[in-house]
Amino acid sequence: MNERFRRTVTDWSSSPLEREIVVTRVVNADRATVCNAWTDHDQITKWFGPDGFKCKTHEIDIRTGGVWRFDMVAPDGTCFSNRMDFVRVDVPELIEAIHGKDADEDPDRFRLLVTFDEQNDGKTVVTLRQIHPTQERRNTVIGFGAVELGGQTLSKLAAQVEGT
């Protein structure tokens, strides 16, 4: 295990649970295929986001040190600015990013870790972990339905890679 990976794992393992949200799903595809749906520009823009939402991409470079700037467009046309700054992209194991509004001074930005673990049957366990800046922010995010919305996003991922 390299030092950079060891530092990041330590950071995540010491994160306070009262600031964390975890969403997981088993996807009927191998982990390389599932991870590719996250790192391929054409695929992620098709499925990312909750039901009824679309992505309007302004800039996309999914690699360590890259950025994805996009608007999440709600069914009613409301745009929510987003930016993911990719801290680490280790295909096909994980993606780590800082996610928030497309603004340098967003106090609500959170750490995101997406892991891809292949089961013996060829299916992949996708786990999304978020660490929010405060417990209050985590509670706010849970309050507006982030867990359910995250589940919808993973359902759309599954549909993308399973061809359903």
Side-chain angles (χ1 to χ4, degrees):
M1 179 184 306
N2 68 39
E3 185 58 33
R4 183 182 63 159
F5 181 75
R6 186 175 294 116
R7 265 196 325 269
T8 303
V9 169
T10 301
D11 291 344
W12 280 94
S13 67
S14 65
S15 295
L17 292 177
E18 68 270 4
R19 293 180 17 219
E20 183 175 31
I21 296 173
V22 179
V23 181
T24 190
R25 178 175 176 120
V26 176
V27 177
N28 190 15
D30 64 275
R31 83 176 182 168
T33 299
V34 177
C35 186
N36 188 53
W38 276 85
T39 58
D40 178 62
H41 306 156
D42 293 330
Q43 288 190 64
I44 196 168
T45 57
K46 291 178 184 172
W47 64 263
F48 190 83
D51 293 346
F53 283 72
K54 304 265 188 240
C55 289
K56 179 182 175 187
T57 296
H58 305 290
E59 175 184 359
I60 190 166
D61 183 12
I62 303 174
R63 64 173 176 79
T64 300
V67 65
W68 182 22
R69 296 177 47 250
F70 61 102
D71 291 332
M72 283 288 241
V73 184
D76 68 2
T78 304
C79 287
F80 300 93
S81 78
N82 280 262
R83 183 171 78 206
M84 284 190 204
D85 292 300
F86 295 98
V87 175
R88 185 167 52 134
V89 178
D90 287 338
V91 174
E93 290 89 16
L94 60 84
I95 297 169
E96 184 175 5
I98 306 298
H99 188 181
K101 294 177 186 170
D102 191 11
D104 290 335
E105 299 301 323
D106 177 8
D108 296 329
R109 291 175 65 100
F110 60 90
R111 290 181 67 191
L112 171 69
L113 180 66
V114 184
T115 56
F116 308 94
D117 295 294
E118 195 161 59
Q119 297 183 158
N120 290 338
D121 61 3
K123 296 178 181 178
T124 302
V125 179
V126 180
T127 304
L128 305 178
R129 291 180 67 192
Q130 300 175 0
I131 300 292
H132 290 271
T134 64
Q135 182 177 0
E136 294 74 25
R137 180 61 187 164
R138 174 199 178 263
N139 293 344
T140 298
V141 170
I142 286 175
F144 70 66
V147 174
E148 181 179 359
L149 299 173
Q152 291 174 11
T153 298
L154 291 183
S155 291
K156 288 172 62 179
L157 166 64
Q160 172 73 23
V161 298
E162 295 170 5
T164 57

